[in-house]
Amino acid sequence: MLIGHVGTDPEVRYVDQGVAVARLRLATTERGYTLQNGTQVPDRTDWHNVLLWRKLAEIVEKYVHKGDKIYVEGRIRYTSYDDKKGQRRYQTEIWAENMELLSPKPQQEQD
């Protein structure tokens, strides 16, 4: 489960037989704090690659934009591949099973 802000507008494409796939970057931030001895611990932001399929991808395409706050439930997928130079690369993705919009609707859409 993650709650965060969308870093860029989602990329949506359609694969086999018109199945929608959306990819977005989600930033989650752990707020900083001050220790008892006065030491400041700064905010820490992590970035997550999120994949959404079918109906969720279609919803993302219509309603989710850069800066929106969303809630995502899903599972972690680890993959590896060889890049053009033959180097092994590793990627971690969240395959979303549920998503909720947490940002308020813009004023013109509420009417």
Side-chain angles (χ1 to χ4, degrees), residues 2 4 9 16 21 35 48-49 51-55 61 68-69 74 76 88 91 94 98 101 106 111:
L2 298 171
D9 284 334
D16 301 333
V21 181
L35 298 173
H48 311 276
N49 296 309
L51 252 59
L52 303 101
W53 293 84
R54 298 177 179 76
K55 190 66 177 171
E61 183 175 34
D68 286 347
K69 188 173 188 177
I76 297 176
R88 176 66 62 168
Q91 188 170 14
I94 308 299
N98 186 23
L101 305 170
D111 298 322

Side-chain angles (χ1 to χ4, degrees), residues 80-90:
S80 63
Y81 63 94
D82 294 328
D83 68 10
K84 293 176 183 175
K85 295 178 181 177
Q87 301 241 342
R88 176 66 62 168
R89 300 287 180 189
Y90 298 93

Side-chain angles (χ1 to χ4, degrees), residues 42-108:
D43 289 356
R44 176 191 163 127
T45 299
D46 290 307
W47 288 91
H48 311 276
N49 296 309
V50 180
L51 252 59
L52 303 101
W53 293 84
R54 298 177 179 76
K55 190 66 177 171
L56 284 179
E58 292 170 12
I59 292 168
V60 163
E61 183 175 34
K62 289 181 185 176
Y63 301 108
V64 176
H65 306 284
K66 178 181 178 177
D68 286 347
K69 188 173 188 177
I70 63 172
Y71 165 81
V72 174
E73 278 181 41
R75 52 196 157 88
I76 297 176
R77 268 259 167 100
Y78 301 102
T79 56
S80 63
Y81 63 94
D82 294 328
D83 68 10
K84 293 176 183 175
K85 295 178 181 177
Q87 301 241 342
R88 176 66 62 168
R89 300 287 180 189
Y90 298 93
Q91 188 170 14
T92 303
E93 298 173 324
I94 308 299
W95 283 42
E97 296 169 354
N98 186 23
M99 187 267 311
E100 291 184 32
L101 305 170
L102 300 178
S103 291
K105 291 182 183 178
Q107 208 51 22
Q108 66 270 20

Side-chain angles (χ1 to χ4, degrees), residues 32-47:
Y33 54 92
T34 304
L35 298 173
Q36 286 182 336
N37 67 6
T39 303
Q40 296 278 68
V41 178
D43 289 356
R44 176 191 163 127
T45 299
D46 290 307
W47 288 91

Side-chain angles (χ1 to χ4, degrees), residues 21-35:
V21 181
R23 177 183 299 273
L24 59 84
R25 301 265 296 147
L26 187 69
T28 57
T29 302
E30 183 178 336
R31 293 287 167 217
Y33 54 92
T34 304
L35 298 173

